[in-house]
């Protein structure tokens, strides 16, 4: 029987396990030298910006907004086509979400739609570099400046992505990264904020540690959002191999692009000029194929090929964030997108199986693997 092909490969390797064991045996487990070293090393990926490690990507977004003074009475413009953590971070500050439509080619926040959504209470823009593709920062940065808005990048899926040679994480006042197991690099769990300056970094360091710079002296109300040294050690191990693994991801995506280019009913991802897409997800659109998107997904699963819909219910249609907005590109994407395996552990035969199955199903033929 042919082995299943998982959508993602989240298992730490021996180097990660060795790094974690080294820290566990050291007894320095929380907010120690490994965290500091990771912050310094990750800074090289974001133009040397000062970095603050935290316990999750959601915390990275939430604390960034708090540190920038976002709170009750404010509005934040963001896409509805994203993971719920993006919107949750806004709502947890007490601010309101204002959803804007996406660019149907990149799935990222459309700059014209964002501009139309800016109002008198808007305090920040929160673009998402979805699937590893940079948002239109060359348009969003000037928009934020014109209106005096904070700009926070949701870079949870975009480690090492870039636009016109400038790294994602180097555009906004702050940028939030995630190291969840399925990301391009992981820490089992964790997050990090790349900041535009030391003042913001200082505020984040207080917020992640109960508002205290020294023990029992609390400068402001904070929380426990610290990254452990075990997580940081794994993240450092993963960071050393990020470039190699990203190269393989991109090569795998290019191979799938070539194989699926002329398949009827399948639309492969577009990469904007000047964008470095790091292919966190390999996401196609299923449109007017022999099967519906959901039938397509079930058929692939039956063949042992992992897949997922990111995201089937856009946030403006979710109960917690419901808003009676007309976001046609968002709604259409939610009905058509399907993510396929692209991770660096795929073999050539795996890629051939994926492409062959997608091609057969799109043409209404019985696929076998």
């Amino acid at each position: 029987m042919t082995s299943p092909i998982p959508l993602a490969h989240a298992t730490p390797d021996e180097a990660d396990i060795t790094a974690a064991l080294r820290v566990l045996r050291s007894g320095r487990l929380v907010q120690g030298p490994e965290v500091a070293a990771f912050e310094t090393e990750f800074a090289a990926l974001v133009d040397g910006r000062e970095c603050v490690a935290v316990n999750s990507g959601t915390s990275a977004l939430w604390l960034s907004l708090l540190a920038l003074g976002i709170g009750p009475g404010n509005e934040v413009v963001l896409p509805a086509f994203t993971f719920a953590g993006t919107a949750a971070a806004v709502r947890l500050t007490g601010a309101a979400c204002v959803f804007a439509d996406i660019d149907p080619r990149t799935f990222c926040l459309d700059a014209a739609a964002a501009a139309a959504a800016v109002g008198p209470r808007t305090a920040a823009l929160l673009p998402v570099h979805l699937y590893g593709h940079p948002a239109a920062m060359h348009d969003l940065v000037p928009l934020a400046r014109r209106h005096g808005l904070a700009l926070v990048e949701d870079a949870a899926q975009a480690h090492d992505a870039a636009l016109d040679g400038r790294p994602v994480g180097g555009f906004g006042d702050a940028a939030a990264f995630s190291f969840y197991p399925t990301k391009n690099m992981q820490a089992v769990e964790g997050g990090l904020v790349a900041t535009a300056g030391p003042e913001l970094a200082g505020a984040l360091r207080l917020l992640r540690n109960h508002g205290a710079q020294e023990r029992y002296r609390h400068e402001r109300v904070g929380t426990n959002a610290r990254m452990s040294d075990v997580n940081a050690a794994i993240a450092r191990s993963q960071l050393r191999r990020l470039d190699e693994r990203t190269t393989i991801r991109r090569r795998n995506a290019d191979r799938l692009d070539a194989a699926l280019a002329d398949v009827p009913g399948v639309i492969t991802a577009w990469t904007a000029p000047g964008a470095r897409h790091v292919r966190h997800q390999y996401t196609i659109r299923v449109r007017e194929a022999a099967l519906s998107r959901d039938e397509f997904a079930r058929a692939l699963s039956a063949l042992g090929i992992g897949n997922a819909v990111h995201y089937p219910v856009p946030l403006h249609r979710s109960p917690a964030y419901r808003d009676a907005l007309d976001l046609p590109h968002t709604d259409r994407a939610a009905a058509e997108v399907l993510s396929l395996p692209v991770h660096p552990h795929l073999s050539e035969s795996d890629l051939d199986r994926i492409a062959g199955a997608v091609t057969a199903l799109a043409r209404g033929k019985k696929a076998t693997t």
Side-chain angles (χ1 to χ4, degrees), residues 36 71 84 144 220 225 276 281 300:
R220 61 183 298 174
R276 172 178 162 84
Q281 299 292 352
L300 285 173

Side-chain angles (χ1 to χ4, degrees), residues 231-302:
N231 296 118
I234 295 170
R236 293 180 70 197
S237 173
Q238 291 264 319
L239 182 59
R240 294 183 190 107
R241 300 189 300 285
L242 177 62
D243 182 66
E244 175 190 358
R245 290 179 172 180
T246 301
T247 298
I248 297 171
R249 278 181 179 272
R250 298 180 76 206
R251 186 189 308 146
N252 290 346
D254 288 345
R255 181 165 175 162
L256 289 172
D257 280 347
L260 301 176
D262 299 316
V263 176
V266 170
I267 302 170
T268 56
W270 181 77
T271 300
R276 172 178 162 84
H277 192 336
V278 293
R279 303 291 196 161
H280 169 62
Q281 299 292 352
Y282 183 84
T283 303
I284 62 172
R285 286 180 184 263
V286 179
R287 180 187 296 172
E288 299 177 4
L291 301 176
S292 71
R293 191 273 310 279
D294 292 343
E295 290 170 335
F296 214 104
R298 288 192 292 270
L300 285 173
S301 296

Side-chain angles (χ1 to χ4, degrees), residues 211-233:
Q213 188 168 10
E214 57 185 85
R215 199 174 187 187
Y216 301 129
R217 183 180 177 86
H218 304 280
E219 307 294 337
R220 61 183 298 174
V221 176
T223 188
N224 176 7
R226 299 184 295 261
M227 175 183 277
S228 81
D229 273 43
V230 177
N231 296 118

Side-chain angles (χ1 to χ4, degrees), residues 48-354:
R49 288 192 160 198
E50 189 167 352
C51 294
V52 180
V54 293
N55 62 351
S56 73
T58 303
S59 290
L61 284 170
W62 174 42
L63 298 187
S64 293
L65 293 166
L66 286 176
L68 288 163
I70 307 301
N74 295 146
E75 293 178 346
V76 177
V77 175
L78 70 159
F81 195 61
T82 181
F83 180 64
T86 311
V90 175
R91 291 283 291 275
L92 286 169
T93 68
C97 294
V98 176
F99 295 115
D101 214 349
I102 57 170
D103 181 330
R105 301 166 300 173
T106 65
F107 302 108
C108 297
L109 181 66
D110 180 77
V118 171
R121 295 200 299 158
T122 306
L125 302 180
L126 181 48
V128 180
H129 305 299
L130 199 70
Y131 303 150
H133 190 292
M137 303 309 293
H138 36 50
D139 295 321
L140 292 167
V141 170
L143 174 63
R145 287 176 178 162
R146 280 199 307 273
H147 294 280
L149 307 176
L151 180 59
V152 177
E153 302 172 63
D154 183 338
Q157 302 180 2
H159 319 72
D160 203 26
L163 185 62
D164 296 329
R166 187 173 179 181
V168 157
F171 290 91
D173 298 292
F177 292 84
S178 169
F179 308 113
Y180 185 74
T182 58
K183 296 299 192 289
N184 289 23
M185 61 167 285
Q186 65 149 309
V188 178
E189 185 62 280
L192 176 140
V193 183
T195 72
E199 184 176 347
L200 184 60
L204 286 161
R205 293 185 196 283
L206 287 174
L207 286 167
R208 76 175 176 186
N209 190 39
H210 296 293
Q213 188 168 10
E214 57 185 85
R215 199 174 187 187
Y216 301 129
R217 183 180 177 86
H218 304 280
E219 307 294 337
R220 61 183 298 174
V221 176
T223 188
N224 176 7
R226 299 184 295 261
M227 175 183 277
S228 81
D229 273 43
V230 177
N231 296 118
I234 295 170
R236 293 180 70 197
S237 173
Q238 291 264 319
L239 182 59
R240 294 183 190 107
R241 300 189 300 285
L242 177 62
D243 182 66
E244 175 190 358
R245 290 179 172 180
T246 301
T247 298
I248 297 171
R249 278 181 179 272
R250 298 180 76 206
R251 186 189 308 146
N252 290 346
D254 288 345
R255 181 165 175 162
L256 289 172
D257 280 347
L260 301 176
D262 299 316
V263 176
V266 170
I267 302 170
T268 56
W270 181 77
T271 300
R276 172 178 162 84
H277 192 336
V278 293
R279 303 291 196 161
H280 169 62
Q281 299 292 352
Y282 183 84
T283 303
I284 62 172
R285 286 180 184 263
V286 179
R287 180 187 296 172
E288 299 177 4
L291 301 176
S292 71
R293 191 273 310 279
D294 292 343
E295 290 170 335
F296 214 104
R298 288 192 292 270
L300 285 173
S301 296
L303 293 168
I305 296 174
N307 62 89
V309 177
H310 302 109
Y311 301 93
V313 182
L315 295 181
H316 71 300
R317 302 198 180 280
S318 294
Y321 305 100
R322 193 176 301 279
D323 196 326
L325 291 168
D326 182 24
L327 304 178
H329 294 309
T330 295
D331 286 328
R332 186 161 193 175
E336 295 179 347
V337 294
L338 185 65
S339 297
L340 306 173
V342 75
H343 58 80
H345 297 273
L346 297 170
S347 66
E348 290 190 7
S349 63
D350 290 335
L351 293 166
D352 289 341
R353 277 180 61 196
I354 295 164

